[in-house]
Amino acid sequence: MLASLRRFGRSDQVVLSIMAVLIGAAGGGAAIGFRYAIDAVQWLGFGYAGEALASHAEDLDWWLLLLVPSLGGLLVGFFLHRFLPNGQPQGVANVMEATALYGGRMSLGTGLRAAAASAASIGCGASVGREGPVVHLGAALGSWLALRFHLGRRLTRTLLGCGVAAAVAASFNAPIAGVFFALEVVVGHYALSAFAPIVIAGVVGTLVSRMHFGDYPAFVLDEQFQIVSFWEFPAFALLGAVAAVVAIVFIQSVAVSQKGFARLPGPVWIRPAVAGLLVGLMALIFPQVLGVGYEATDKALGQQYALELLIALAVAKIAATAISLGGGFGGGVFSPSLFVGAMTGGAFGLIAAGVFPHLASDHGAYTIVGMGAVAGAVLGAPISTILMAFELTGDYEITIALMVATAIASVVVKGAFGCSFFQWQLAQRGIDIGQGQEATLLAQTKVRSLLDRSYAAVAPDAPLEEIKRELARAPCSELLVVDGEGALLGVITFTDIAAVVFDGEAHAELTAAKLARNAPLLTAEEDLQTAVRVFVGSGEAHIAVVDSRQDRRLLGLVHEHEVMAAYQRTLAQARAEERGER
């Protein structure tokens, strides 16, 4: 019995569960601290701390609406330039990159500085979300704890997911959504080894938030919405298609904005100031675009906006968010996508009610469905956004409608655009994590580790008789032609010289240089995935390895059977990590 207890105490799951409690508390505290940091900056700039910034901004002088975002952008840009890697803000995409490529290792210092830049961005009115920066901060806290205890890659990635779950759960008061966001977007699998500690962290983060703010949802519903008829479900499916178009426009707008700001003259760090000025100009007409925009989202859910204003606010928020992110402000897209989705859904509901007044539900129901559909498609997280809406409403029928719309929106965006917003951000950096954890492990295994230095070589001027003699003794029936400086000139096999060997003539004029053919080659630093692709494409059994494609200095050979065996071992390791077996 005592031995069993000792084994239990040394179990990875027990250690992870204890750490999950710590990270859950830290993530919840980080979410609280981040909100207070936003309020502090907002109070300094606008004289108001709270989420009803749009109503407060209506009474502010015009010059203040221009000055605060512009000056704030200047300070944020300078801070990013001096203190963040490559002068860029950090967010969910960086967490995904750390999980996929670096075994979950992140810098806590970078996380804290990135959170400060994002809090300042939101506080001065940039049209960005607060959840993305909190996700990054929570992940950095989880990674820091894992590094302090010298944990391996699998456990580090799980603790990083714990930080993400706690941050999202605390931000939205939605523990289920926080857990599934971490699993769906960051960790990438639902194995029990990761699921249990992430659930613990999400619950603890929610409890910390509720103890401080109370048990209130992120958005307030004044009434429960009911679906009038099941004949409405085709309308919800159509809303999903509309949401997909809006999501693609949202992502493409950010891309266009980035290209536009990249053409601006002057230093990069002044771009947020220009973006802030443009957002301030928009706020003179639509103050709802300032900050996270929760007040406007609440009003849309409360059916307080007319059709024309809903459409105008959706367009204005897309433009303001694209300008803010393209200009270099720190922040996320979670809140803006919910805002845009709410306006899109509300407008669609009003139009549907006008066409089929006896079949259409209150347009507040369409507002909820639109929120989830656009956000799920933009974030590439349909499961967690559906669960978030269910936690928000507690309405089963609305959730079914949301499932239909979000699934259609996600499929259309995937098919038409190819990726979510975060995957697009990574693609801009030349990073593709779409193939999962096994692709990461394959990329980490280098050709050098499989190098065989037992090979046969001849000089370029070797005659045919020497070639036949050396080829007969070659360990893999392949002869490499190498010059005096060790550079690979080509490859000779029995097949290459069969015609001249059996024609009965001497062929004294033939040399190795004339008989050699250009065969595919690999460099020592290329990865296993590249090696597999070259072997499959060429049909070769052995491929020469050189130091670089320019110098072509021969290092040895790699063999197809060894590369494929290593490939299978790597895939097995990835599957074992997901199951928590190593």
Side-chain angles (χ1 to χ4, degrees):
M1 181 66 178
L2 183 59
S4 298
L5 289 174
R6 286 175 178 170
R7 283 196 301 272
F8 178 76
R10 289 194 296 267
S11 167
D12 284 348
Q13 285 299 299
V14 174
V15 173
L16 279 177
S17 297
I18 294 172
M19 290 186 172
V21 173
L22 299 176
I23 295 172
I32 294 170
F34 188 74
R35 288 176 65 171
Y36 278 124
I38 294 172
D39 287 346
V41 175
Q42 192 173 290
W43 181 83
L44 287 173
F46 296 105
Y48 171 80
E51 293 183 351
L53 178 59
S55 296
H56 177 76
E58 293 175 352
D59 299 323
L60 294 177
D61 294 328
W62 65 268
W63 58 268
L64 194 62
L65 288 178
L66 300 181
L67 176 64
V68 174
S70 302
L71 181 58
L74 188 65
L75 297 175
V76 167
F78 182 75
F79 182 86
L80 290 170
H81 176 71
R82 288 294 303 273
F83 300 111
L84 270 296
N86 301 318
Q88 298 295 319
Q90 307 285 298
V92 177
N94 299 92
V95 178
M96 295 168 67
E97 179 182 358
T99 304
L101 302 184
Y102 307 116
R105 284 165 171 76
M106 297 176 62
S107 166
L108 180 59
T110 299
L112 292 170
R113 292 191 294 273
S118 296
S121 298
I122 299 168
C124 72
S127 180
V128 290
R130 71 186 181 205
E131 291 74 27
V134 173
V135 164
H136 185 272
L137 181 56
L141 288 169
S143 179
W144 175 82
L145 185 62
L147 291 174
R148 294 282 293 181
F149 283 88
H150 307 288
L151 300 181
R153 179 176 59 226
R154 179 179 65 84
L155 300 184
T156 299
R157 292 172 65 235
T158 300
L159 288 184
L160 184 145
C162 289
V164 171
V168 174
S171 295
F172 284 104
N173 190 19
I176 300 176
V179 167
F180 278 88
F181 181 84
L183 294 169
E184 185 177 19
V185 176
V186 178
V187 177
H189 63 82
Y190 299 89
L192 182 61
S193 58
F195 185 81
I198 287 175
V199 166
I200 293 172
V203 170
V204 172
T206 305
L207 293 176
V208 170
S209 176
R210 288 181 180 180
M211 284 189 291
H212 189 83
F213 293 116
D215 186 8
Y216 301 105
F219 303 103
V220 179
L221 296 179
D222 295 328
E223 60 179 296
Q224 291 295 107
F225 301 113
Q226 299 294 325
I227 296 178
V228 173
S229 170
F230 279 101
W231 289 106
E232 282 190 274
F233 277 88
F236 290 124
L238 180 59
L239 175 55
V242 172
V245 174
V246 172
I248 293 173
V249 170
F250 184 100
I251 300 172
Q252 292 279 36
S253 298
V254 178
V256 171
S257 177
Q258 282 186 348
K259 292 178 181 178
F261 276 99
R263 298 192 187 100
L264 289 181
V268 174
W269 56 269
I270 67 169
R271 293 175 187 172
V274 178
L277 177 62
L278 295 175
V279 171
L281 288 170
M282 295 181 66
L284 295 176
I285 303 173
F286 300 110
Q288 294 91 342
V289 303
L290 293 172
V292 295
Y294 278 1
E295 180 189 12
T297 305
D298 271 332
K299 288 186 176 180
L301 288 168
Q303 307 179 86
Q304 299 179 34
Y305 289 149
L307 174 61
E308 294 79 4
L309 184 56
L310 288 168
I311 297 173
L313 287 178
V315 174
K317 189 65 174 179
I318 290 174
T321 303
I323 290 169
S324 298
L325 294 175
F329 274 113
V333 295
F334 214 145
S335 301
S337 62
L338 290 173
F339 181 114
V340 173
M343 304 305 155
T344 302
F348 186 94
L350 286 174
I351 294 172
V355 177
F356 300 105
H358 300 295
L359 294 178
S361 305
D362 289 337
H363 69 269
Y366 288 88
T367 302
I368 295 172
V369 173
M371 281 176 62
V374 173
V378 169
L379 305 177
I383 297 175
S384 48
T385 50
I386 290 169
L387 291 171
M388 185 182 298
F390 181 71
E391 289 185 278
L392 173 66
T393 63
D395 189 294
Y396 183 69
E397 288 188 4
I398 292 292
T399 303
I400 294 176
L402 179 61
M403 291 171 66
V404 171
T406 305
I408 291 174
S410 299
V411 169
V412 172
V413 169
K414 180 68 175 178
F417 189 70
C419 60
S420 68
F421 178 80
F422 303 132
Q423 291 171 334
W424 169 80
Q425 283 186 310
L426 292 173
Q428 299 300 107
R429 308 172 198 170
I431 299 171
D432 179 13
I433 63 172
Q435 299 179 58
Q437 175 67 5
E438 61 270 16
T440 303
L441 293 174
L442 291 170
Q444 292 172 348
T445 304
K446 302 301 181 183
V447 169
R448 183 183 297 277
S449 65
L450 302 173
L451 190 63
D452 181 4
R453 299 184 184 276
S454 301
Y455 58 87
V458 294
D461 57 355
L464 180 59
E465 289 303 316
E466 181 182 346
I467 292 171
K468 291 191 291 184
R469 186 172 58 253
E470 294 297 327
L471 193 54
R473 295 199 295 253
C476 55
S477 301
E478 188 164 297
L479 199 59
L480 305 178
V481 182
V482 182
D483 66 14
E485 297 181 354
L488 178 68
L489 300 181
V491 177
I492 301 175
T493 65
F494 276 118
T495 303
D496 298 325
I497 64 171
V500 297
V501 167
F502 297 109
D503 65 1
E505 299 183 16
H507 294 291
E509 78 283 0
L510 291 179
T511 62
K514 293 180 179 180
L515 291 170
R517 63 180 171 86
N518 287 323
L521 51 82
L522 291 163
T523 66
E525 296 308 314
E526 287 181 315
D527 57 43
L528 188 58
Q529 195 166 22
T530 302
V532 170
R533 187 165 57 247
V534 172
F535 271 110
V536 171
S538 66
E540 299 280 346
H542 317 280
I543 292 180
V545 179
V546 297
D547 61 343
S548 70
R549 296 184 183 275
Q550 291 74 34
D551 298 335
R552 295 171 66 96
R553 188 172 64 84
L554 181 63
L555 300 178
L557 292 170
V558 286
H559 310 295
E560 182 182 27
H561 67 278
E562 292 185 357
V563 168
M564 293 306 175
Y567 181 78
Q568 292 299 324
R569 289 195 300 271
T570 301
L571 294 183
Q573 179 184 348
R575 299 286 79 79
E577 287 191 1
E578 289 188 2
R579 294 191 299 267
E581 296 175 0
R582 60 172 71 181

